[in-house]
Each structure stands twice: as C-alpha cells, then as structure tokens.
Amino acid sequence: MFSSILSPVAYGALRAIRNLSFTLALPFSVASAAYAEPVTVFALGDSLTAGYGLPEAEGLVPQLNAWLAERGAEVTVLNGGVSGDTSAGGLSRLGWSLTPEVDALIVTLGGNDLLRGLQPSVTRNNIEAILQEAQSRDLPVLLIGMEAPGNFGPAYKTAFDQLYVELAAQYDALLIESYFRLIDPAATDPGQLSPFMQADGIHPNAQGVQRAVENLGPRILELVAQID
C-alpha cells in the first residue's frame, strides 16, 4: 500500500518540477489547493484515524477525502490509522510509512497512551521523535492532541495536555489541541458529546466524524499551503 517505484533522485526531481510550476502559477488559494500535481497527506494515528466501529466510507479519512474533493482540492489523505496503537507504535512504523509521495503528515496519537496510564514523558518523547523525523524530511505537520481525564490528577493532566502545545510550538507544527473538540468546540463536559459517540463512549459515530471533518478540513488546507 505504501510502496513507491520512485528512487530518491527521481522523487527529488519530481518535487523540484512541481515546486517550480507552483512558483510560476497564479497566487495560491487555500480554498482551491491548486497544485500542479495532487498532494498526498499521510494520517498517522490510532482507531480514531482508522475509523473503528464504522463502515469504511463513514470513517475519518474517507469522509475527509470526500470533503476535500467536494471543494476541488487535489489532496489525498492516506489512512495510516491502526486501532490500539500507542505513540510508540506510531513511531515504530513511521519510517516505512513516509514513502516519497507523502507531502505532509497528520499525527493523532496519545489516546491509547492515556488508556494505559503511560507517563506523559513517554508520550512526549515518542511524539517528539515523530516530529523530528518529519522535520528531517521537510514535511509540514498537523498535530492533533488529546486531553487527559482528571482522574490521573492535575499534575498528570497538565503535563499530558501541554505536551502537544509545547511540541507544536517547538517544531513549528500546526496544532489542534483536542481531537474531541473538533466534534463540538463548545463542549465543556464529555456528556455533551454523547449524541455523536458510539456505544463505547470512546469512538465517534458517523455523525460525530462528520462534525470533526467539517472543522478539520480547513486545517488540512492550511497544512497543504505549507508544502514547499
């Protein structure tokens, strides 16, 4: 699925040609995402990205691709979600996931770290390593965070929630502080999200995903605008 027949040299030439075409084109419009060639974005994540519990067409990535296509954006998001994956799991498969055709990266990891009660420092180290790898490849990143529940204590919650904010600032990544606030930015209590969640209370239903995509889509266009 992620293999490529392009050599690194050929890939570099291809990107150079595309970038030259972009430079000579009319001024860039984020709404139209008007690139000389289609853009590929890799979505690295867990079950929230994979579309757990939903028919394939109703998952996050298919709905996001449909949203982009409806707006004339020649952007394809690849589904790199693995249900149950921790930040360590995402890091372990990052190298072979970032094939030459990938132009940008979405990172949505940390939910399973929370479910396992891993220390925020562990999650921070893994996500920082992911951002470092993306930076070394000159890939713009959209980092989507998680919010820790209060039952781990205020110190844990502060450390976990802030790691996304701090790492995004350090590595110049776009940031969405909380995945679930994409569903309802005004929600102040998890119970307010229940109409948009599956029975497990963890994963969004199709309507919840649709709401998330409506808020996520414009940020993907913003991400695409950063591609050199």
Side-chain angles (χ1 to χ4, degrees):
M1 176 180 177
F2 304 115
S3 62
S4 173
I5 59 173
L6 289 176
S7 69
V9 173
Y11 173 64
L14 182 61
R15 290 197 71 158
I17 292 171
R18 187 185 69 182
N19 293 343
L20 178 61
S21 299
F22 170 72
T23 302
L24 297 176
L26 292 173
F28 177 76
S29 168
V30 171
S32 65
Y35 278 91
E37 291 198 3
V39 169
T40 298
V41 179
F42 188 82
L44 180 72
D46 51 30
S47 55
L48 296 175
T49 300
Y52 175 87
L54 296 172
E56 183 176 355
E58 296 179 356
L60 178 70
V61 173
Q63 287 205 46
L64 183 56
N65 278 324
W67 187 96
L68 292 164
E70 287 169 2
R71 285 151 184 82
E74 292 190 68
V75 180
T76 298
V77 181
L78 300 180
N79 192 340
V82 174
S83 295
D85 223 357
T86 61
S87 58
L91 174 59
S92 70
R93 56 191 174 87
L94 181 66
W96 56 261
S97 298
L98 296 180
T99 51
E101 67 267 24
V102 173
D103 300 296
L105 179 66
I106 306 169
V107 180
T108 313
L109 290 165
N112 290 303
D113 296 44
L114 286 172
L115 291 175
R116 298 185 184 195
L118 300 180
Q119 288 300 308
S121 59
V122 173
T123 306
R124 173 188 281 271
N125 289 340
N126 291 329
I127 292 181
E128 181 168 19
I130 291 170
L131 296 177
Q132 288 174 339
E133 180 65 21
Q135 187 178 72
S136 73
R137 297 172 183 246
D138 196 27
L139 298 176
V141 178
L142 171 61
L143 179 61
I144 303 177
M146 295 288 155
E147 290 182 273
N151 58 298
F152 289 120
Y156 183 104
K157 178 171 175 57
T158 297
F160 194 94
D161 294 355
Q162 283 299 306
L163 74 88
Y164 296 96
V165 177
E166 293 167 1
L167 289 176
Q170 182 178 348
Y171 290 92
D172 197 26
L174 295 177
L175 174 68
I176 293 171
E177 292 190 29
S178 170
Y179 172 90
F180 292 102
R181 291 191 184 276
L182 287 170
I183 299 173
D184 186 354
T188 57
D189 184 279
Q192 294 175 267
L193 297 179
S194 58
F196 310 110
M197 304 299 288
Q198 297 180 42
D200 61 11
I202 298 175
H203 300 93
N205 58 28
Q207 186 180 2
V209 172
Q210 181 181 11
R211 289 171 66 99
V213 164
E214 289 170 356
N215 289 308
L216 178 59
R219 301 305 305 277
I220 301 302
L221 294 178
E222 187 178 349
L223 176 69
V224 166
Q226 292 189 350
I227 298 172
D228 293 330

